């Protein structure tokens, strides 16, 4: 169902960050003894309406789709599965999006890039950034072919994902791509670390433990306040070593209700909860939106 024009309308106020009583570098411990980061200060309610930087994990059912807005500039990370009701296209139009500076596609599986061709038809795109994968695992799916056709038809600049840096409004974006060879597409997921002032977000596509291990060995700074859990909370991903390094205050698992894959995996969900004091699941919470003023974060969920 289409949403109303105002980005904030339609959202029920969910969990607001608790203002840490003692704002300090105090580390909180949960029952498992894992250190939690000190809570972020909340963005004041009055500032939410004028917050010009936000990251929205859009509920696209079984798939991933994240919209980033900063100072009126937009970037889309993944598009969700191809669907007939054009949810993402409609949502972007309702938000007044005419141009995406970047469309980053973490990897070429249809639950991440299924709508990419439709989005390319409807919006101006500064560039598409996605991993180049070995020929023997390059998809031959219709949605992938349609995307390549759209890139050609609309003459959209195309970049192979790499260890690189981008800017979107006030946000700094670092991307990483694996250096090792893997046998499956998931482990070619590009990693996206977004920073807005003191706030940071890590978006991981369907990265599995082998790729996680590579990034850990490369000692990339993956620490983040907000983590989009890899591979929809599957048992293939989110190892303890990985989570201990990210140490997210908030985690979002993007998956469909009663999906056929059983995402999120129970054990993985429990493990994520050990390292992240607040975990959202789009199947239950709907879209999850983080407003940032560069210092504090406020979270709203679609379903409350
Ligand atoms: Zn996926």
């Amino acid at each position: 169902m289409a949403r109303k024009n105002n980005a904030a309308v339609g959202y029920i106020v969910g969990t607001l960050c608790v203002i840490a009583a003692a704002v300090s570098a105090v580390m909180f411990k949960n029952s498992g003894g894992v250190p939690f980061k000190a809570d972020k200060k909340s963005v004041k309610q009055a500032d939410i309406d004028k917050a010009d930087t936000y990251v929205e994990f859009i509920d696209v059912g079984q798939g991933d789709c994240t919209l980033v807005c900063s100072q009126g500039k937009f970037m889309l990370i993944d598009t969700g599965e191809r669907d007939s009701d054009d949810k993402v296209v409609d949502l972007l139009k309702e938000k007044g999006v005419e141009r995406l500076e970047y469309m980053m596609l973490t990897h070429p599986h249809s639950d991440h890039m299924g709508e990419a061709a439709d989005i390319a038809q409807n919006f101006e795109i500064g560039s598409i950034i996605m991993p180049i994968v070995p020929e023997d695992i390059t998809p031959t799916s219709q949605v992938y072919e349609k995307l390549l056709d759209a890139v050609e038809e609309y003459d959209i600049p195309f970049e192979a994902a790499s260890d690189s840096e981008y800017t979107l409004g006030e946000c700094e974006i670092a991307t990483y791509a694996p250096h090792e060879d893997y046998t499956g597409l998931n482990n070619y997921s590009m990693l996206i670390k977004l920073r807005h002032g003191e706030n940071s977000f890590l978006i991981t596509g369907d990265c599995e433990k082998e790729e996680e291990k590579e990034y850990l060995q490369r000692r990339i700074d993956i620490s983040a306040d907000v983590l989009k859990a890899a591979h929809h909370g599957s048992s293939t991903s989110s190892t303890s070593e990985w989570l201990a390094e990210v140490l997210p205050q908030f985690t979002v698992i993007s998956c469909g209700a009663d999906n056929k894959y059983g995402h999120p995996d129970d054990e993985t969900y429990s493990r994520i909860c050990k390292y992240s004091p607040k975990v959202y699941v789009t199947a239950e919470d709907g879209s999850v939106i983080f407003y940032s003023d560069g210092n504090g974060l406020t979270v709203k969920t679609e379903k409350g």
Side-chain angles (χ1 to χ4, degrees), residues 107 111-112 206 231-232:
H107 65 297
D111 58 325
H112 295 256
D206 281 353
H231 200 192
H232 322 285

Side-chain angles (χ1 to χ4, degrees), residues 46-282:
D47 290 336
I48 290 174
D49 298 336
K50 56 185 181 190
D52 62 8
T53 296
Y54 63 84
V55 176
E56 179 169 1
F57 296 91
I58 301 169
D59 176 15
V60 288
Q62 184 58 29
D64 275 11
C65 183
T66 307
L67 178 68
V68 183
C69 172
S70 186
Q71 293 192 317
K73 306 276 188 197
F74 293 93
M75 166 171 93
L76 196 67
I77 302 170
D78 289 341
T79 70
E81 186 64 80
R82 170 84 190 96
D83 67 8
S84 51
D85 64 6
D86 294 327
K87 174 175 179 170
V88 177
V89 169
D90 288 347
L91 180 67
L92 296 183
K93 285 183 177 171
E94 284 157 15
K95 286 176 179 290
V97 177
E98 292 178 353
R99 173 185 163 89
L100 295 166
E101 302 304 321
Y102 311 108
M103 179 158 73
M104 295 192 180
L105 301 169
T106 59
H107 65 297
H109 271 151
S110 64
D111 58 325
H112 295 256
M113 45 72 69
E115 283 286 278
D118 279 2
I119 287 164
Q121 267 168 15
N122 282 278
F123 304 96
E124 194 183 323
I125 298 180
S127 64
I128 291 177
I129 301 148
M130 69 183 295
I132 299 293
V133 300
E135 209 175 328
D136 58 331
I137 56 169
T138 297
T140 54
S141 61
Q142 223 183 9
V143 288
Y144 186 68
E145 297 296 333
K146 274 185 74 179
L147 170 63
L148 298 184
D149 290 346
V151 165
E152 200 172 301
E153 185 179 348
Y154 303 109
D155 203 17
I156 304 169
F158 182 94
E159 285 179 49
S162 63
D163 301 343
S164 193
E165 291 177 355
Y166 303 85
T167 305
L168 182 83
E170 293 177 340
C171 295
E172 293 164 14
I173 300 153
T175 60
Y176 302 96
H179 296 172
E180 305 288 331
D181 292 329
Y182 296 104
T183 52
L185 276 181
N186 286 346
N187 277 328
Y188 283 94
S189 293
M190 62 187 290
L191 205 67
I192 299 156
K193 169 105 179 248
L194 189 141
R195 183 176 291 284
H196 180 237
E198 296 296 312
N199 296 323
S200 52
F201 299 78
L202 184 69
I203 289 138
T204 54
D206 281 353
C207 169
E208 297 185 356
K209 48 181 170 286
E210 295 81 7
E211 190 185 356
E212 289 178 355
K213 192 173 171 191
E214 179 189 325
Y215 291 130
L216 287 168
Q217 285 172 344
R218 282 165 53 185
R219 307 194 67 77
I220 287 167
D221 176 14
I222 54 171
S223 66
D225 299 303
V226 182
L227 169 67
K228 201 294 294 175
H231 200 192
H232 322 285
S234 160
S235 61
T236 58
S237 312
S238 305
T239 59
S240 297
E241 294 81 2
W242 176 260
L243 294 168
E245 209 56 45
V246 182
L247 215 56
Q249 188 173 343
F250 306 94
T251 299
V252 178
I253 297 172
S254 185
C255 63
D258 301 322
N259 64 78
K260 63 182 177 184
Y261 309 102
H263 295 154
D265 170 69
D266 288 345
E267 210 175 301
T268 308
Y269 180 83
S270 302
R271 191 162 61 244
I272 291 171
C273 291
K274 257 177 79 179
Y275 291 89
S276 178
K278 186 66 195 166
V279 179
Y280 298 95
V281 180
T282 57

